[in-house]
Amino acid sequence: VQLQASGGGLVQPGGSLRLSCVVSGRIFSINAMGWYRQAPGKQRELVAAIASGGSRSYADSVKGRFTISRDNARNTVYLQMNSLKPEDTAVYYCNVDGLVVGGWPYDSWGQGTLVTVSS
């Protein structure tokens, strides 16, 4: 299972970005999909997650500003980030778990995409 994340970049405070993560491989099912981030010198933290049924959860620091969504037909998870702040600067990673063809479970990570919020 491979995850390809994209959409990071440099944005000014108050700006917006949308991250995408496409899942490929011998996938039988996708359960939870999520976005994590890791800022320099800090531990990786969960930003947002969305379950197979569509329920969502967010870190307190991004509630009301970020929206996670998924397109099951395209095996893709998105993170719409609005009202970005300098403290949102980090490498963002997507994470997905589920089953591959044959029934084996997987828990895979994308390569990370850098988001820099700066004027």
Side-chain angles (χ1 to χ4, degrees):
V1 177
Q2 296 82 42
L3 278 63
Q4 182 66 48
S6 61
L10 173 64
V11 63
Q12 292 186 343
S16 298
L17 283 175
R18 189 174 85 148
L19 306 183
S20 300
C21 178
V22 180
V23 186
S24 61
R26 292 175 56 78
I27 302 163
F28 177 76
S29 65
I30 299 175
N31 296 331
M33 309 179 86
W35 288 95
Y36 290 72
R37 68 186 180 187
Q38 187 166 19
K42 295 187 177 181
Q43 290 188 334
R44 189 173 298 188
E45 63 174 353
L46 176 65
V47 175
I50 182 167
S52 57
S55 61
R56 297 169 172 85
S57 61
Y58 296 94
D60 288 343
S61 58
V62 307
K63 283 180 181 176
R65 301 188 297 122
F66 291 10
T67 301
I68 189 170
S69 61
R70 60 192 285 170
D71 184 337
N72 292 327
R74 291 182 169 83
N75 291 343
T76 302
V77 60
Y78 304 97
L79 185 68
Q80 178 66 44
M81 305 185 294
N82 298 328
S83 302
L84 283 160
K85 304 175 180 180
E87 51 263 43
D88 294 318
T89 295
V91 177
Y92 284 71
Y93 299 90
C94 52
N95 173 258
V96 173
D97 68 78
L99 297 176
V100 298
V101 174
W104 294 98
Y106 66 89
D107 186 335
S108 299
W109 292 86
Q111 84 283 10
T113 185
L114 177 63
V115 172
T116 303
V117 185
S118 175
S119 54

